[in-house]
Amino acid sequence: MTEGYHEVTYDDGDRYKGEWNAGGKRHGYGVLYFSDGTVFAGQFANGMNTGNGSLTFPDKSKYEGQFADGKFSGFGVFSNASGMKYEGEFKDGKMEGCGRVTFEDGSSGRPRQEGTFKDAQLVTGGKQGAAIKQAQQAQEQGKAAADKANALEG
């Protein structure tokens, strides 16, 4: 495959529209439509969603922020369809590091679900203003990358 914009449908039903590198891998901005209804829009590097982007699931849950090797990694915001959200750090697709959970009613629970997380569990409480701000900035960068990817045309 030549470098540039291409649209491809895979044997499993997944579809990709976006930029490719000379080595035949997704690279740059693109949108990957999974056969189960999940959609990733954002940046790719050497075939994997890496950089900034947005991942929307069929149940309307969404992650916006940083990715590495196809997983949530770095800072970002995950929200589910009912309105619960986590703003903070992720590692290997899991809540890991500093952050805050906000529930549907706008509270952060009792005890407050803000602090340091490991394997999606709060391990140490404490205010995380800097991490939350970084997550919100990463969310905006993810949205911008998704918008750029969605605007691509051949």
Side-chain angles (χ1 to χ4, degrees):
M1 182 171 296
T2 60
E3 185 174 357
Y5 178 90
H6 297 279
E7 293 186 22
V8 174
T9 299
Y10 299 96
D11 292 340
D12 63 3
D14 293 351
R15 293 182 304 118
Y16 175 77
K17 68 171 196 165
E19 299 171 331
W20 295 77
N21 64 19
K25 295 190 184 259
R26 299 181 297 246
H27 194 87
Y29 289 91
V31 181
L32 181 58
Y33 303 89
F34 294 92
S35 60
D36 70 356
T38 301
V39 179
F40 173 80
Q43 297 173 311
F44 288 82
N46 292 312
M48 300 297 291
N49 42 333
T50 297
N52 297 306
S54 173
L55 186 65
T56 305
F57 298 94
D59 69 356
K60 304 299 181 215
S61 295
K62 182 182 276 194
Y63 171 80
E64 296 167 313
Q66 300 169 337
F67 290 81
D69 296 323
K71 297 179 180 175
F72 313 163
S73 194
F75 288 93
V77 176
F78 176 84
S79 56
N80 69 19
S82 68
M84 185 281 301
K85 70 180 174 182
Y86 171 79
E87 302 165 289
E89 291 180 275
F90 292 81
K91 182 178 180 186
D92 291 327
K94 297 178 185 170
M95 296 165 29
E96 184 134 343
C98 300
R100 174 180 66 198
V101 174
T102 304
F103 296 99
E104 297 85 352
D105 65 3
S107 76
S108 289
R110 294 193 189 280
R112 186 175 179 84
Q113 295 295 296
E114 182 173 355
T116 304
F117 290 79
K118 174 107 175 120
D119 291 324
Q121 299 294 315
L122 181 67
V123 292
T124 307
K127 294 280 187 178
Q128 300 299 323
I132 293 165
K133 184 175 181 176
Q134 283 183 277
Q136 292 167 343
Q137 290 170 340
Q139 179 183 34
E140 291 305 312
Q141 292 167 347
K143 286 179 183 179
D147 288 345
K148 186 169 182 175
N150 281 309
L152 288 177
E153 293 184 19

